[in-house]
């Protein structure tokens, strides 16, 4: 009889293990870096209370692209191919070519520096983007250079070869870009072309109209994210939830199921099924890139209240596993087993904001 009971229990445990869900939440900017938090400790209490439920673990991954590559088992030999993957998300076929982002930006220049603002702050209208792209393509047709517009904010150029080394746009916004310009074998040619592009944009009726409306002009392009598509490879991820083109492109490359992420109930429902879901939430990335602590605080409080706290409660009830990746060399691991973690008994340990959020 005991053998039968043991077999039954073993079968039940194995069934539960098969049915338990793993959710990997990639949230760049959740833990900074930000300029400072003087006087904000009380306001950030909801984030501290949330993260105290997780087990903190070190990871060698310290940026968004590398985190996506690690979780999706993307094998890269060169730079992370942001542009080629994003094209997949827009139902464009990159083929075996090298592609690069050529995104519309604004540069504010003075005597010794130029500060970049990305298209998210420019609110470019569709007809403005279309006309600017048409003007650029008409001018550079003789050079066999064509700008492909996926939407108002995402423009692309196909390169003959990947002979540029660039800086991702997220690392350039709000910063002096003089030390972040493209390098590599083809850098000199592209710097010359960028000077031409800036002159063309300056003369465009589109920018004259924008300045008359009191909005910043689109006066340059930012080249970044060069590369070719890597081989698909295999991964244990079964579903991708994101509104980010790169994450969606990875799902399409690997023939994974993917869905837009516009409601936490989508993830709560996913946790009822077996598998491994990869979800990307990027609403804190922008405030961190610009060093806007106030905007980060507002967005963080909304994220914790509307998304993360409900997801953790769902994980508790379903015995699901949740791992949060802030892309800063740390991950936070939640499971019901965490309640037996000895650190929870250290009631005298006082958590500080600086233990979780990086300051610049």
């Amino acid at each position: 009889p005991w053998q039968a009971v043991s077999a039954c229990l073993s079968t039940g445990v194995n069934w539960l293990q098969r049915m338990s869900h793993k959710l990997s939440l990639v949230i760049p900017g959740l833990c900074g870096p930000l300029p400072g938090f003087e006087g904000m400790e009380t306001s950030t209490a909801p984030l501290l209370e949330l993260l105290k439920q997780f087990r903190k673990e070190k990871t060698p991954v310290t940026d968004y692209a590398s985190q996506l590559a690690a979780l999706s088992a993307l094998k890269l030999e060169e730079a992370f191919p942001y542009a080629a993957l994003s094209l997949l998300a827009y139902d464009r076929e990159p083929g075996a070519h090298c592609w690069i982002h050529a995104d519309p930006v604004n540069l504010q220049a003075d005597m010794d520096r130029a500060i970049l603002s990305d298209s998210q702050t420019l609110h470019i209208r569709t007809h403005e983007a279309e006309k600017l792209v048409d003007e650029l393509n008409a001018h550079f047709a003789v050079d066999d250079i064509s700008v492909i517009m996926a939407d108002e904010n995402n423009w692309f150029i196909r390169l003959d070869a990947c002979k540029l080394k660039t800086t991702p746009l997220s690392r350039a916004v709000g910063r002096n870009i003089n030390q972040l310009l493209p390098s590599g074998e083809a850098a000199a040619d592209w710097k010359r072309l960028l000077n031409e592009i800036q002159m063309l944009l300056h003369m465009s009726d589109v920018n004259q109209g924008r300045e008359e409306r009191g909005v910043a002009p689109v006066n340059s392009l930012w080249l970044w994210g060069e590369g070719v598509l890597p081989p698909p490879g295999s991964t244990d991820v079964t579903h991708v939830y994101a509104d980010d083109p790169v994450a969606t492109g990875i799902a399409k490359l690997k023939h994974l199921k993917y869905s837009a992420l516009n409601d936490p109930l989508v993830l709560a429902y996913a946790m009822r099924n077996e598998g491994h879901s990869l979800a990307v939430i990027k609403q804190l990335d922008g405030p961190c890139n610009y060093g806007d602590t106030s905007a980060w605080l507002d967005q963080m409080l909304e994220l914790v209240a509307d998304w993360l706290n409900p997801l953790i409660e769902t994980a508790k009830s379903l015995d699901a596993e949740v791992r949060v990746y802030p892309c800063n060399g740390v991950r936070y691991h939640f499971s019901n087993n965490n309640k037996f973690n000895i650190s929870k008994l250290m009631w005298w340990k006082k958590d500080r904001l600086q233990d979780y959020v990086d300051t610049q």
Side-chain angles (χ1 to χ4, degrees), residues 178-191:
N178 287 340
Q179 303 302 316
L180 304 176
L181 295 173
S183 61
E185 186 177 335
D189 291 337
W190 276 99
K191 287 178 182 177

Side-chain angles (χ1 to χ4, degrees), residues 1 27 36 60 101 120 208 211 220 225 230 267:
I27 312 178
H101 272 278
Q120 300 297 328
Q208 293 177 20
E211 290 177 342
S220 190
L267 296 180

Side-chain angles (χ1 to χ4, degrees), residues 4 47 63 87 93 155 159 168 190 202 217 297 319 335:
L47 178 61
D63 65 89
L87 279 168
E93 180 50 59
W155 304 357
L159 302 178
W190 276 99
H202 175 73
L297 179 62
D319 202 25
S335 72

Side-chain angles (χ1 to χ4, degrees), residues 70-86:
L71 288 171
S72 61
L74 204 62
K75 297 186 181 301
L76 303 177
E77 295 183 0
E78 302 293 339
F80 189 88
Y82 292 91
L85 288 168
S86 294

Side-chain angles (χ1 to χ4, degrees), residues 82 101-106 116-120 153-154 166-175 177 180 221-225 285 289-290:
Y82 292 91
H101 272 278
D103 290 345
V105 299
N106 173 267
L116 182 147
S117 297
D118 66 4
S119 58
Q120 300 297 328
N153 303 318
N154 289 275
T166 64
T167 301
L169 181 60
S170 62
R171 298 183 192 170
V173 296
R175 295 169 176 84
I177 55 89
L180 304 176
L221 303 183
W222 188 252
L223 302 178
W224 68 284
D285 200 30
N289 292 337
Y290 282 99

